[in-house]
Amino acid sequence: MNPNKKSVFRLINTSDQNWSDWHWQFKNRITKPGILANLLHEPAEKREELQRAATVYPLAITPYYFSLINHTNENDPIKKQCFPDLLEILQTCTPEDPLEEDSHMPVPKLVHRYPDRCLAIVTEICATYCRHCNRKRFWSSSPQISMKTRLTNMIRYISASPQIREVIISGGDPLTLEDHVLEELLVSLRSIPHVEVLRIGSRAPVVMPMRITKDLCRILKRARPLWFNTQFNHPHEITPDSARACNMLLEAGIPVSNQSVLLGGINDSTEVMKNLLYGLQNISVRPYYLFHCDPAKGCEHFRTDVKTGMGMMENIWRQCSGLSLPQYVLDVPGSTGKIPLNVMSRAIKKDLQKHQHFFDKFK
Ligand code: SF4
């Protein structure tokens, strides 16, 4: 057992059996800034900062994810992703909803931006709240309607929209829902003839890998074709537990892809990104997208400039195998969708100039 896990484990005084149970992990999330400050023996000033930031954007960290933190490193990449930071509430110039999702909701929490697919935000709750989340505006909102009504409205809209062939189930984290709720949702979606493909977006393999159980895999397997997208942002998140979770999904016939977010001070260096991509390849998870961090309120301090991202991706393109390369993209509002930040063409342009004589031969 790693020493960090041991300290949380002792503090909460639990058994290994509890530790491996996702319900226990979920129930014992660290949600109070005071408890977090006690765990870290933080001074009064730091406590107040945690409290102020968490009042605006709530705090939740599973004991598992907390156990991955190296507390001797002030800039630990796991800590930066889940600890409230005053910087989140000091910015005022960025929009809360940068992708203007709220204006593309024909029914509550169903985003229909592109003709052939829609995004079902089935919950606002996450096992761990990522401080860089572009939907952090939802964390404190209490649902206006019951879960049943919300899902029924979504199903009704999708059934009446024959152009929708793909449904992306996201949130919040849909894997915070109980199996029976998920199963009912998947069965309902599967019964709509024009819905051909389902996709689940969840960080459970990263922040609460014990959520991937045999029962869940059985449910997901029955709903195929179903793609699973997760979000590893740093190589330290690839652990035996997260590898086991991804492997269970893969063995159930569910392809697992990764969508990282480019985060300043966390994964915006060639070395870190390369280790992340190699690590993903080693656990058979496909690096799919690298998102440029959206200009969402409360996330500004995580953003790097596109030039840095492209420079890093160009290095990676030159050094790594094509199988480990994600597409670096910028998401923008409306139906334009994700714009590829074309590292290849930038790099190729340079190469073309360097090897002009080679290409000239074929003119
Ligand atoms: S799990 Fe996803 S939805 Fe939840 S806080 Fe993290 S990025 Fe946002």
Side-chain angles (χ1 to χ4, degrees):
M1 190 186 296
N2 84 42
N4 288 326
K5 175 177 169 186
K6 220 170 181 174
S7 67
V8 187
F9 178 88
R10 259 208 230 104
L11 231 146
I12 312 176
N13 193 22
T14 193
S15 64
D16 265 345
Q17 197 186 356
N18 277 345
W19 187 267
S20 332
D21 174 356
W22 79 269
H23 285 107
W24 182 89
Q25 287 282 341
F26 189 75
K27 199 167 143 217
N28 287 284
R29 295 178 305 156
I30 301 162
T31 55
K32 302 244 182 322
I35 293 182
L36 185 61
N38 285 347
L39 284 168
L40 305 174
H41 309 292
E42 293 285 17
E45 184 194 306
K46 192 78 194 158
R47 276 168 190 267
E48 203 202 308
E49 284 183 20
L50 285 170
Q51 184 69 57
R52 281 180 61 197
T55 304
V56 181
Y57 297 116
L59 153 76
I61 312 172
T62 56
Y64 165 81
Y65 198 59
F66 185 84
S67 79
L68 304 184
I69 298 170
N70 172 4
H71 294 284
T72 59
N73 178 6
E74 187 51 34
N75 295 314
D76 181 84
I78 310 289
K79 184 175 168 180
K80 285 182 122 177
Q81 287 184 69
C82 63
F83 275 34
D85 190 319
L86 257 195
L87 290 173
E88 293 172 58
I89 56 171
L90 297 179
Q91 311 144 355
T92 49
C93 54
T94 40
E96 290 217 294
D97 176 18
L99 301 179
E100 296 171 9
E101 291 180 328
D102 297 355
S103 56
H104 289 87
M105 286 184 186
V107 294
K109 301 293 159 63
L110 185 98
V111 184
H112 195 183
R113 280 169 71 195
Y114 313 108
D116 69 336
R117 58 202 184 276
C118 67
L119 171 85
I121 298 173
V122 296
T123 176
E124 283 75 30
I125 297 167
C126 299
T128 290
Y129 287 125
C130 316
R131 310 318 294 182
H132 56 272
C133 178
N134 64 359
R135 294 203 189 110
K136 64 202 295 182
R137 66 188 183 281
F138 290 145
W139 295 351
S140 312
S141 64
S142 39
Q144 306 292 309
I145 49 174
S146 73
M147 175 66 77
K148 196 164 173 47
T149 312
R150 173 173 174 165
L151 298 182
T152 306
N153 289 343
M154 288 180 178
I155 300 288
R156 201 172 292 147
Y157 176 83
I158 296 168
S159 303
S161 309
Q163 73 276 30
I164 296 178
R165 68 173 288 277
E166 183 174 347
V167 179
I168 302 154
I169 301 159
S170 185
D173 197 319
L175 293 197
T176 56
L177 299 179
E178 291 293 338
D179 281 358
H180 69 94
V181 180
L182 267 176
E183 186 170 24
E184 207 175 306
L185 173 66
L186 292 172
V187 168
S188 303
L189 289 169
R190 265 279 146 262
S191 68
I192 303 172
H194 55 267
V195 173
E196 294 170 23
V197 175
L198 299 176
R199 216 194 298 179
I200 288 191
S202 165
R203 266 205 113 185
V206 183
V207 299
M208 192 171 63
M210 36 303 273
R211 176 62 184 99
I212 312 300
T213 60
K214 282 186 188 157
D215 285 344
L216 176 71
C217 287
R218 265 193 292 273
I219 293 168
L220 300 183
K221 188 174 184 172
R222 281 199 290 267
R224 287 182 306 166
L226 183 147
W227 269 258
F228 194 103
N229 283 348
T230 190
Q231 188 197 126
F232 287 90
N233 290 322
H234 192 277
H236 291 179
E237 293 171 334
I238 302 175
T239 65
D241 289 321
S242 59
R244 179 202 54 84
C246 294
N247 194 46
M248 284 176 74
L249 292 165
L250 291 165
E251 283 188 344
I254 315 288
V256 184
S257 300
N258 191 63
Q259 305 189 152
S260 300
V261 183
L262 181 63
L263 300 168
I266 294 178
N267 61 12
D268 60 341
S269 80
T270 303
E271 265 326 287
V272 171
M273 187 54 72
K274 207 164 86 175
N275 287 336
L276 171 64
L277 300 175
Y278 281 166
L280 290 170
Q281 249 197 315
N282 289 344
I283 61 168
S284 304
V285 170
R286 177 193 166 210
Y288 175 39
Y289 278 138
L290 170 65
F291 281 106
H292 192 73
C293 187
D294 290 330
K297 194 170 178 183
C299 303
E300 193 64 31
H301 55 299
F302 286 110
R303 301 189 79 217
T304 53
D305 56 291
V306 168
K307 207 170 149 205
T308 306
M310 286 179 72
M312 181 189 81
M313 288 309 291
E314 188 174 326
N315 292 338
I316 288 172
W317 176 71
R318 289 182 187 282
Q319 294 173 27
C320 303
S321 105
L323 273 182
S324 60
L325 282 182
Q327 191 167 32
Y328 178 35
V329 292
L330 177 76
D331 211 354
V332 291
S335 56
T336 313
K338 295 165 190 68
I339 299 172
L341 295 170
N342 217 333
V343 174
M344 305 304 169
S345 62
R346 194 177 98 131
I348 287 167
K349 215 183 274 174
K350 272 200 217 161
D351 277 354
L352 276 176
Q353 283 160 0
K354 205 160 90 193
H355 302 294
Q356 194 62 46
H357 64 288
F358 181 87
F359 292 96
D360 286 347
K361 273 192 183 178
F362 300 97
K363 271 185 181 170

